[in-house]
Amino acid sequence: MTTYTPPPEPGRTASRRNRPVPLVIGILLALMGLPLLLGGLGLGWAVATQRDDDGFFSTPTEQLSTQTVALSSEVVNLGKAGPNDWWADHHPATVRLSARSEGARAVFIGIAPSADVARYLGSASYDEISDLRSDPFEYSLTRRGIGGDLSTPPTDRRFWTAQASGPGTQALTWDVKPGTYTAVVMNLDGSPGVDVDLSAGGRLGWLTPLAWSRGLLGGALILGSALLVVYGARPPGPRVPGQASPGQPPEGARPDTPVTLVGAQDPQLNRGLWLVKWFLAIPHFVVLARLWLVFAVLTVVVFFAILVTGRYPRGLFDLNVGILRWTWRVQFYATAATGTDRYPPFTLDHTDYPADLDITYPERLSRGLVLVKSWLLALPHLIVVGVLVGTWQFGDAHGIQFAVGGLIGALTLAAGLLLLFTGRYPASLFDLLVGLNRWVYRVTAYIALMTGTYPPFRLDQGPAEPHGVAATPSTPDAPSTTGFESPVEERHPRREVKA
């Protein structure tokens, strides 16, 4: 006997072997490569623009003063010298201290082992600088020593590791080595009353190679990630055009935008449940936080895929559409419409939930527009979206404050208060909220490179898209329908025929 399997039904495609391993590895490589690439670019920018002509990163010049004989730093411990301190002979860092006396006195700057400095200054009084802050510039002084004057000026001592002295501006440079050190600023003659303008700087010779290595490694990981993701997410062969499922409109009646968002309001909503929906939805928020990290990384990968191939990998497209769909269901339940009391499912797929979202897959996308569509072309829409979902803060800066998530958040709060005190959720307000969310998701899909169709400047209110699929709300006796559900798959028995 030979087993015979019927061919796939019209409108369905034969299954193919998935390649999840390259897809998962590609996503992991992107998660590792993106921080490396951004870190390399940031270091390169700092090396190219923030150093002076001598290669030092410097602090602003600030005035410090004391009535004692010296200003000293805290003890800096750079480790003990030993046979394994390979960096001691390679000079990985150089310190520069610059000082200029406010009066006519000459200034002395020195760095020496902490024990020698403590013995030399201990016979007098000096101030140790601590808790140094740059913005705003603040510092604390701790009095050290037993009082009195110094027996000799600092230049007569031979324990200084590095020193500079004289009138005007003096600069000391020192290659960092293992040991315990203290920096000191004094008058050249060792007299009390030090008043100087001081700045510090550092030079790290390994920053440039580090920036290049991080950037190149991150770029290589991103490129490898893109290749693996494109390979693992390649779409199946050409789809067989299918007839419209029962309850769905024909092709000509589909929405005129690639983004289809629907939401059906429950006929009976609990008056007070909306007050705790945000708490009930915390598990969803935790999952969505991680999914949106994946969404952002995949969008970067897709950017390069479109730039090279002009196509959005189908597997990644379906995943990102699922993340948007999940987000809309949670927002519809808890934060942006509160249109249903039915708890959202934990799934990326279409369900019978009263809120749903779908985006038409673009067969081809412009390689050139991908460079400007997300920020330049979308700028007018981004201003509108900022008004709709940007945070609005109210209240006194020193009193009670509260914030809402833009116009959508304010209207959702108003709908909740009306429901709490009157038991009614005006249909016109619900239609407006769904329309505003529809605008946001159309723009989101466009800037996320998921469509090449520019979002219309049009507020389509109501639970359904114009000329689109109408959703029906959930009832105790029947689940909701959004028109996106796949029809129940008929199981055909395996027929046996004689060979």
Side-chain angles (χ1 to χ4, degrees):
M1 302 292 286
T2 301
T3 302
Y4 168 73
T5 303
E9 299 176 87
R12 298 183 180 272
T13 56
S15 62
R16 66 175 179 92
R17 291 188 62 186
N18 293 321
R19 294 183 287 270
V21 174
L23 188 62
V24 171
I25 294 177
I27 293 174
L28 293 177
L29 288 180
L31 289 174
M32 293 186 293
L34 186 61
L36 288 173
L37 179 61
L38 295 178
L41 293 176
L43 281 178
W45 171 83
V47 168
T49 63
Q50 302 301 304
R51 298 188 302 177
D52 59 21
D53 295 337
D54 295 325
F56 283 88
F57 296 95
S58 299
T59 64
T61 300
E62 302 290 352
Q63 183 179 7
L64 292 89
S65 61
T66 178
Q67 297 302 316
T68 62
V69 298
L71 288 168
S72 76
S73 68
E74 295 180 293
V75 175
V76 179
N77 189 348
L78 299 177
K80 295 181 179 180
N84 296 326
D85 294 325
W86 60 268
W87 60 272
D89 298 326
H90 290 77
H91 309 305
T94 301
V95 174
R96 183 179 66 187
L97 297 177
S98 299
R100 181 176 61 87
S101 178
E102 285 295 321
R105 293 179 175 179
V107 67
F108 172 87
I109 313 170
I111 295 177
S114 298
D116 294 332
V117 172
R119 281 193 297 268
Y120 171 57
L121 297 179
S123 61
S125 294
Y126 66 99
D127 283 336
E128 181 181 283
I129 303 172
S130 61
D131 299 329
L132 191 63
R133 293 178 292 273
S134 59
D135 189 18
F137 179 72
E138 294 178 347
Y139 62 93
S140 300
L141 295 178
T142 302
R143 186 62 52 87
R144 304 291 186 187
I146 60 175
D149 297 326
L150 294 174
S151 58
T152 59
T155 51
D156 291 346
R157 299 288 180 161
R158 297 290 179 261
F159 56 75
W160 299 107
T161 305
Q163 60 178 305
S165 60
T169 301
Q170 298 296 314
L172 170 153
T173 58
W174 173 59
D175 294 327
V176 174
K177 296 180 179 180
T180 304
Y181 297 94
T182 299
V184 177
V185 180
M186 311 171 57
N187 293 323
L188 182 58
D189 57 3
S191 59
V194 180
D195 190 3
V196 295
D197 293 329
L198 185 67
S199 68
R203 181 173 60 198
L204 305 174
W206 43 267
L207 271 188
T208 299
L210 178 63
W212 276 102
S213 60
R214 286 176 64 98
L216 292 176
L217 179 59
L221 290 177
I222 290 291
L223 179 60
S225 167
L227 295 176
L228 286 173
V229 168
V230 170
Y231 172 75
R234 283 191 305 174
R239 294 189 173 188
V240 181
Q243 298 178 352
S245 303
Q248 288 189 340
E251 293 292 335
R254 298 291 172 87
D256 60 349
T257 62
V259 180
T260 304
L261 182 144
V262 298
Q265 182 183 9
D266 286 357
Q268 296 293 331
L269 291 170
N270 187 288
R271 288 192 175 200
L273 184 61
W274 66 273
L275 293 170
V276 296
K277 282 182 177 179
W278 63 270
F279 179 77
L280 300 177
I282 287 178
H284 280 283
F285 296 150
V286 173
V287 176
L288 285 175
R290 287 155 177 78
L291 287 178
W292 272 95
L293 177 60
V294 174
F295 186 95
V297 173
L298 292 185
T299 301
V300 175
V301 174
V302 166
F303 170 84
F304 293 101
I306 298 174
L307 195 61
V308 174
T309 67
R311 298 178 63 87
Y312 199 122
R314 184 58 190 257
L316 301 188
F317 181 85
D318 293 338
L319 176 58
N320 280 351
V321 171
I323 294 173
L324 292 177
R325 182 181 299 123
W326 192 329
T327 304
W328 165 234
R329 285 196 293 246
V330 174
Q331 289 182 328
F332 186 81
Y333 168 77
T335 60
T338 61
T340 181
D341 290 339
R342 181 179 169 188
Y343 198 73
F346 285 86
T347 179
L348 299 170
D349 298 327
H350 293 294
T351 66
D352 60 353
Y353 197 72
D356 210 342
L357 179 143
D358 203 5
I359 303 176
T360 304
Y361 177 70
E363 295 296 336
R364 300 291 298 180
L365 291 167
S366 171
R367 299 182 183 180
L369 289 181
V370 73
L371 298 171
V372 296
K373 64 191 298 183
S374 296
W375 59 278
L376 181 60
L377 300 183
L379 184 59
H381 275 291
L382 293 176
I383 296 174
V384 176
V385 170
V387 175
L388 297 182
V389 300
T391 302
W392 296 359
Q393 293 185 347
F394 302 92
D396 185 10
H398 304 287
I400 299 176
Q401 296 185 4
F402 68 95
V404 294
L407 180 60
I408 291 178
L411 293 178
T412 304
L413 178 61
L417 294 175
L418 286 173
L419 184 63
L420 179 65
F421 292 108
T422 68
R424 295 180 62 253
Y425 190 153
S428 58
L429 180 56
F430 173 80
D431 292 346
L432 175 61
L433 278 170
V434 174
L436 296 177
N437 281 284
R438 185 173 289 126
W439 191 315
V440 171
Y441 276 90
R442 287 173 179 173
V443 176
T444 301
Y446 183 74
I447 65 176
L449 313 177
M450 304 179 73
T451 176
T453 303
Y454 195 74
F457 280 92
R458 187 180 70 216
L459 181 61
D460 293 325
Q461 302 185 52
E465 294 276 355
H467 310 294
V469 180
T472 60
S474 299
T475 63
D477 300 325
S480 65
T481 61
T482 60
F484 292 129
E485 302 84 356
S486 299
V488 178
E489 182 178 359
E490 297 180 5
R491 298 188 177 273
H492 295 270
R494 298 172 64 88
R495 297 196 292 271
E496 295 182 349
V497 296
K498 292 183 179 180

